[in-house]
Amino acid sequence: MSSNAKHLRSIDAGHYKNTAGCETEVMPIPDVVKISMSQHIGAPCQPLVAKGDHVNVGQLIGDVDAFVSAPIHSSVSGTVTGIETQRNAMGGQDTLVVIETDKEQTLDPSIKVPEVHNLEEFVKAVRASGLVGLGGASFPTHIKYNPKNIDDVHTLIVNGAECEPFITSDHRTMLEDTQDIIDGMKLIMEYIGLDEGYIGIEKNKPDAIAKLDAMFKEQGLTNMHTFTLQDRYPKGAERVLVYEITGKEMAAGVLPADLGVILSNVTSVAFVGQYFRTGMPLISKRMTVDGDAVTTPKNIIAPIGTQINDVIEFCGGYKVEPKKILMGGPMMGRAIFSDEMPIVKNNNAILAFSKEKTAIPEETACINCGRCHMACPFNLLPTAFADAYQTRDAQRLSDLKVMQCMECGSCSYVCPARRPLSFMNKLGKGVVKEAGL
C-alpha cells in the first residue's frame, strides 16, 4: 500500500455526499420496464418468457445452466410486449425482456421463505434469489459463499465503506435496514462456519457506525464489530479493505477466500437478511440519484428494469441539459449514451452532470511529477504503463505488474497533465492478455 497516498489532499477533498440525510423514497411502478438478461459477471441468462406472456412479481424470467450465472426475476406484474436488444454501457449487446406493467403488482405463487438446514441448501437458496454483488462487481453471490477452501475461511468482512463520491445508498441501507444486515451476517456466518464478522465503514458515516455498534451490543453479538476506516478513496476497494482489516495483501488473481475471508457488500448482506425473511427475490434496487443536472437529488428504490429517464423524472427531471450521465460513481462508474437504458441489479447510483461540470481539460505532456505513483493504493507506476502501452510492449507491461491495477482512477484524477492513465492501464491489460502472459 502506498503510504504517500495519504498526503494527496486532492484524493479525499470532496466526498459530495449530498444525499446522506435523504431517507429513501420508493418510486412508483413505471408504465414499462426493460429487464436485462445480462446483470452479472459470467454467462447471460436466456429469456424464459415470450411476447404475450403474463408475468407476476418475483416470477423467474431468465436463467442459464452456466456455473457463473444468476437467475433473473420480474420486478413487476404485467404483459411481455417484446424481447429486444440494446447496446449496454460496456459497448456490448444486451437482451431485454420488455414488460408493460399492470400496476397491480401481483405476487408470483412461487414466492416463499426458503427453508435451509445446511450450507448446500443455503447456497442453493442464495442462487435462487438472484443475488449478485450489489456494490458494483455483480459477481454471483452464491459462488462467493461456497469457497473451495471452506475450512480455511474464518472471517466475514462486510463492505460498508462506500468511498465513491456522491453515492449514499449503502449509507442509507445501514441506517434503514440495520436489522436485515445483522440477520444477513448471522446467516452467512452460521452456514459458512465463520468465527467473526466486521463491517468496514468510513468515518464520515458516524451515525451508521453508532447504530450498528449499539445493535450489536443490545443483541449480545460479541463476534460482530464495526471497523472504522479513513474517509479516503478507494478504501472500499476489495483488496484495500481486506488489507485494512486483516493486514493481508491480496495480489491480482487472489480471492479473499484464499486469505481466509468472505467479503460481501453491505447491501448484498442486507438482502440476504430480507430474502430469508420474505422469500422475495432480487427485484428492486436502492440507489442515489444526484449531480448538478438533477432537480431534486434523492435516494430511491426502483424496480429493476426501470428506465433511467423514469428515475430522473421521479427526481423532478433535469434541471439543465445533462452532458454526461453515469451509472455508478464518478471514479469507476460507466458513462451511458442514452437515458432510456434500464436499471440493473448492481446500479448503486445514477449521476447526471452539466456541460460545465464535465468539461475535460486538454491533455498535455507528462511532467514526471510522480503524483500518479503516490496516489496508487498498490504503489504501481501508471506513467510507465502508459509508455509501455503506447509501444504495445506486453512483456514490459507484465513485468511492471499492470494486472495489479484495479482501475480505481486515482492516477487519472491527480494527474496535472490530465492524461487518461487509468483507461490506458485497462488497455494495457488487454495487451498482456492478448500476448498470453
Side-chain angles (χ1 to χ4, degrees):
M1 303 293 166
S2 172
S3 60
N4 292 324
K6 65 183 181 182
H7 300 299
L8 291 169
R9 294 167 56 192
S10 56
I11 286 289
D12 58 29
H15 298 279
Y16 305 105
K17 301 290 190 178
N18 309 313
T19 57
C22 298
E23 293 186 7
T24 306
E25 299 181 32
V26 178
M27 181 177 166
I29 303 301
D31 294 333
V32 173
V33 296
K34 297 182 176 182
I35 301 178
S36 172
M37 295 291 101
S38 301
Q39 299 196 51
H40 51 264
I41 290 173
C45 287
Q46 298 297 318
L48 302 178
V49 292
K51 183 177 180 180
D53 289 351
H54 179 83
V55 295
N56 293 320
V57 176
Q59 179 178 331
L60 183 67
I61 61 170
D63 206 351
V64 67
D65 290 335
F67 176 67
V68 182
S69 66
I72 293 170
H73 304 80
S74 178
S75 58
V76 296
S77 59
T79 302
V80 176
T81 58
I83 309 293
E84 61 184 45
T85 60
Q86 183 182 67
R87 189 170 299 280
N88 60 34
M90 298 291 287
Q93 293 286 337
D94 286 352
T95 298
L96 307 178
V97 174
V98 183
I99 304 171
E100 182 178 317
T101 64
D102 60 17
K103 306 296 178 74
E104 296 180 6
Q105 290 302 88
T106 305
L107 298 184
D108 194 71
S110 65
I111 295 173
K112 61 180 180 180
V113 176
E115 293 186 15
V116 300
H117 306 92
N118 53 47
L119 177 62
E120 181 180 359
E121 293 177 351
F122 175 70
V123 170
K124 184 177 180 180
V126 171
R127 187 193 189 280
S129 76
L131 180 60
V132 302
L134 300 181
S138 71
F139 186 77
T141 305
H142 66 282
I143 300 174
K144 181 181 293 187
Y145 289 172
N146 191 25
K148 294 179 181 178
N149 62 330
I150 192 166
D151 292 337
D152 300 322
V153 180
H154 302 286
T155 303
L156 172 66
I157 294 179
V158 180
N159 188 350
E162 198 166 51
C163 60
E164 276 256 23
F166 290 96
I167 306 177
T168 63
S169 53
D170 281 352
H171 188 178
R172 296 313 308 179
T173 295
M174 289 185 280
L175 293 176
E176 298 174 25
D177 299 333
T178 321
Q179 188 60 53
D180 287 328
I181 296 169
I182 293 173
D183 291 344
M185 291 181 70
K186 286 180 179 178
L187 288 162
I188 296 164
M189 293 173 68
E190 175 185 352
Y191 288 108
I192 302 179
L194 306 178
D195 300 324
E196 287 194 300
Y198 297 89
I199 303 183
I201 309 172
E202 286 191 337
K203 67 179 181 181
N204 60 5
K205 306 172 185 64
D207 48 356
I209 295 170
K211 185 169 185 180
L212 281 157
D213 279 341
M215 291 182 69
F216 288 156
K217 184 176 180 180
E218 289 170 4
Q219 297 178 35
L221 301 171
T222 57
N223 62 343
M224 295 185 187
H225 323 272
T226 60
F227 187 98
T228 302
L229 303 162
Q230 292 175 302
D231 49 349
R232 180 174 293 117
Y233 182 85
K235 290 294 183 183
E238 180 178 76
R239 287 151 63 191
V240 177
L241 190 57
V242 169
Y243 176 82
E244 290 285 343
I245 294 179
T246 70
K248 298 176 181 178
E249 295 191 14
M250 284 179 61
V254 173
L255 299 174
D258 297 330
L259 302 179
V261 171
I262 296 293
L263 192 149
S264 204
N265 170 264
V266 69
T267 299
S268 300
V269 172
F271 174 78
V272 172
Q274 293 163 4
Y275 178 65
F276 281 83
R277 174 171 51 82
T278 67
M280 180 62 70
L282 183 55
I283 60 168
S284 63
K285 189 65 170 68
R286 178 186 272 114
M287 68 190 75
T288 299
V289 186
D290 202 351
D292 72 317
V294 178
T295 298
T296 308
K298 297 179 179 182
N299 287 300
I300 70 163
I301 291 178
I304 289 170
T306 301
Q307 295 179 104
I308 290 171
N309 52 8
D310 286 330
V311 171
I312 296 294
E313 186 63 28
F314 179 63
C315 295
Y318 294 116
K319 184 165 53 178
V320 296
E321 182 180 358
K323 176 67 175 179
K324 180 175 285 188
I325 301 175
L326 300 175
M327 297 177 80
M331 300 298 287
M332 296 186 73
R334 296 285 178 182
I336 59 173
F337 59 87
S338 169
D339 63 3
E340 294 183 358
M341 294 180 67
I343 297 301
V344 293
K345 293 178 182 180
N346 65 333
N347 277 153
N348 51 13
I350 298 296
L351 305 179
F353 297 104
S354 66
K355 181 178 180 180
E356 178 185 2
K357 294 293 184 181
T358 56
I360 301 176
E362 184 178 352
E363 181 182 341
T364 58
C366 174
I367 60 174
N368 295 311
C369 64
R371 293 184 185 179
C372 58
H373 171 63
M374 291 188 290
C376 178
F378 304 117
N379 215 27
L380 300 176
L381 298 167
T383 54
F385 294 157
D387 292 342
Y389 168 69
Q390 289 169 348
T391 60
R392 303 301 192 270
D393 190 338
Q395 188 61 58
R396 179 158 173 74
L397 284 163
S398 179
D399 292 344
L400 289 167
K401 300 182 179 180
V402 70
M403 302 306 291
Q404 293 281 351
C405 172
M406 63 180 181
E407 301 169 33
C408 68
S410 296
C411 54
S412 299
Y413 184 79
V414 302
C415 178
R418 312 312 301 168
R419 302 178 77 198
L421 295 169
S422 182
F423 184 61
M424 283 193 281
N425 294 354
K426 182 181 183 66
L427 296 176
K429 289 181 180 181
V431 171
V432 172
K433 291 177 182 177
E434 288 175 8
L437 298 177

